[in-house]
């Protein structure tokens, strides 16, 4: 990225890894919703930087001392791996508390200008540099690149977010938005026996939500106001409302609706909205949260070992859910602009690049 909505292709020499580091050759990378936010310059952290954080690559070179991944599996040049896209510095207050996903230096490497070595800081690039502070995991052989690429960040983040709710087998989870995150969350919740209601308006995404096991769909074309959707969801939950509402739309107006939808004593998890400041504000009566005794929680990133759980989840369940259809019709790297356009228009669940 060289400016708002602007990128350039640049070439650098591929570096040799320092002790404890790795160099990967990228195989496949997705364009996540947050890549689009960053591309629009709505992220405070990433400006002159390399986009991309959902990807899978082959080990091209191992730094001195790297013998295994973070799960203890031995790694060699040529193995497929996925890295956690941020660093865990282990020296900040969050890391000290054990909240590694909240590391205050998490984007220390990713946010660097690629003009400085080792250059390859983002996933939308032919190569990627894994720094010594970064977790990475070997990809199980049975997983295709198309399936493995989405483990980081989409699936890992959804397993993490739902682990931090009171989701049980008798819960009703309402998911606002059936993009990549919403579809992953549907699969995770179905595996735990919960009932899932999905609010979505894009036809292809509605079809995918059904394939991922959604029990009910609230079609935004039919229920086209917030009031109509709340009323419909109440009908579907015998007047009580869902136990948990998961917002993965990235649309600010979805948040007051989350609060309106959740049952008394229920939970709201805010994941999709990342932007702050003017243009991303909504009005809400805080009394609604108080009177309903809601638990409202934000969830950014995940603890790094969740990436390994996400890979195991995919291996275990890939026969039951069409993970590969999240990233249909991938683009070649030189056509990155088309993939970004797909991501912006929400015409696909996850836009994707093959190298
Ligand atoms: Zn992401
Ligand atoms: Zn830290």
């Amino acid at each position: 990225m060289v400016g708002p909505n602007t990128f350039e292709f640049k070439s650098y020499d591929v570096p040799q890894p320092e002790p404890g580091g790795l160099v990967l050759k990228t195989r496949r990378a997705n364009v996540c919703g947050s890549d689009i936010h960053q591309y629009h310059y709505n992220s405070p952290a990433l400006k002159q930087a390399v986009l991309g954080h959902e990807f899978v690559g082959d080990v091209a070179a191992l730094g001195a001392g790297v013998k295994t991944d973070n799960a203890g599996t031995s790694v060699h040049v040529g193995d497929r791996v996925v890295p956690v896209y941020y660093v865990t510095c282990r020296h900040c207050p969050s890391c000290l508390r054990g909240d590694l996903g909240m590391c205050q230096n998490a984007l220390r490497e990713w946010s660097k200008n690629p003009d400085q070595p080792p250059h390859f800081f983002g996933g939308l690039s032919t190569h990627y540099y894994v720094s010594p502070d970064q977790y990475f995991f070997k990809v199980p052989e049975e997983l295709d690149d198309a399936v493995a690429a989405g483990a980081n960040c989409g699936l890992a983040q959804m397993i993490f977010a739902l682990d931090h709710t009171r989701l049980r087998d008798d819960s009703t989870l309402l998911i606002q938005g059936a993009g990549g995150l919403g579809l992953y969350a549907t699969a995770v919740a179905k595996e735990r026996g919960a009932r899932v209601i999905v609010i979505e308006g894009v036809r292809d995404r509605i079809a995918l939500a059904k394939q991922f096991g959604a029990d009910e769909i609230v079609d935004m074309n039919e229920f086209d106001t917030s009031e109509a959707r709340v009323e419909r969801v109440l009908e579907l939950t015998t007047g009580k409302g869902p136990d948990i509402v998961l917002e993965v739309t990235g649309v600010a107006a979805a948040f007051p609706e989350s609060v309106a939808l959740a049952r008394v004593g229920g939970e709201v998890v805010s994941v999709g909205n990342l932007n702050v400041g003017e243009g991303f504000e909504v009005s809400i009566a805080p009394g609604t949260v108080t009177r309903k005794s809601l638990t409202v929680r934000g969830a950014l990133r995940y603890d790094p070992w969740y990436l390994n759980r996400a890979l195991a989840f995919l291996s275990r369940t890939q026969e039951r859910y069409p993970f590969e259809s999240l990233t249909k019709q991938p683009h070649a790297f030189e056509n990155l602009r088309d993939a970004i356009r797909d991501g912006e228009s929400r015409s696909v669940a996850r836009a994707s690049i093959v190298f």
Side-chain angles (χ1 to χ4, degrees), residues 72-304:
T73 307
S74 60
V75 284
H76 303 96
V77 168
D79 283 347
R80 276 190 313 158
V81 300
V82 283
V84 168
Y85 66 87
Y86 55 87
V87 299
T88 45
C89 79
R90 304 194 301 275
H91 291 89
C92 72
S94 295
C95 284
L96 190 60
R97 281 197 313 268
D99 291 327
L100 297 191
M102 298 179 204
C103 174
Q104 283 148 25
N105 300 305
L107 304 189
R108 184 185 69 198
E109 300 302 317
W110 187 16
S111 60
K112 284 182 180 165
N113 186 319
D115 286 344
Q116 61 179 300
H119 314 295
F120 296 87
F121 303 116
L124 287 167
S125 175
T126 57
H127 295 75
Y128 183 83
Y129 193 89
V130 182
S131 79
D133 279 331
Q134 240 173 309
Y135 281 65
F136 71 94
F137 298 100
K138 195 168 161 178
V139 177
E141 229 161 81
E142 64 272 17
L143 296 182
D144 278 351
D145 290 343
V147 173
N152 175 17
C153 71
L155 177 58
Q157 196 185 7
M158 288 298 96
I159 299 175
F160 180 81
L162 290 175
D163 265 9
H164 290 80
T165 66
R166 297 187 291 269
L167 185 77
R168 313 191 316 189
D169 55 354
D170 63 348
S171 299
T172 296
L173 170 69
L174 183 130
I175 302 175
Q176 295 170 289
L181 293 180
L183 295 169
Y184 284 131
T186 304
V188 172
K190 289 315 294 177
E191 284 300 301
R192 296 183 192 183
R195 180 176 180 230
V196 175
I197 304 173
V198 169
I199 299 181
E200 177 55 62
V202 178
R203 188 184 302 265
D204 286 359
R205 291 181 171 198
I206 289 173
L208 276 171
K210 288 178 184 161
Q211 289 173 41
F212 273 82
D215 298 281
E216 309 278 355
I217 306 284
V218 177
D219 184 340
M220 291 181 74
N221 301 299
E222 189 182 342
F223 301 94
D224 58 359
T225 63
S226 187
E227 293 72 25
R229 289 189 286 278
V230 171
E231 195 182 320
R232 176 64 184 148
V233 170
L234 282 174
E235 253 171 50
L236 292 172
T237 51
T238 57
K240 111 184 143 64
D243 302 294
I244 302 159
V245 178
L246 175 69
E247 179 282 310
V248 281
T249 63
V251 175
F255 183 74
E257 194 167 315
S258 317
V259 169
L261 286 160
R263 72 158 163 84
V264 171
E267 296 172 85
V268 168
V269 187
S270 175
V271 177
N273 278 303
L274 294 163
N275 299 327
V276 292
E278 212 179 319
F280 303 106
E281 288 159 353
V282 289
S283 121
I284 184 166
T288 324
V289 174
T290 314
R291 286 178 167 278
K292 289 173 90 171
S293 297
L294 295 182
T295 304
V296 178
R297 190 189 165 99
L300 180 73
R301 298 194 284 269
Y302 50 85
D303 286 333

Side-chain angles (χ1 to χ4, degrees), residues 6 8 21 24 32 48 73 90 118 132 161 186 196 249-250 253 271 274-275 291 308 311-312 316 332 334 341:
T6 322
E8 276 174 12
L24 309 183
C32 166
Q48 311 268 316
T73 307
R90 304 194 301 275
T186 304
V196 175
T249 63
V271 177
L274 294 163
N275 299 327
R291 286 178 167 278
N308 196 42
L311 292 168
R316 206 168 59 239
E334 55 269 31
R341 187 205 53 219

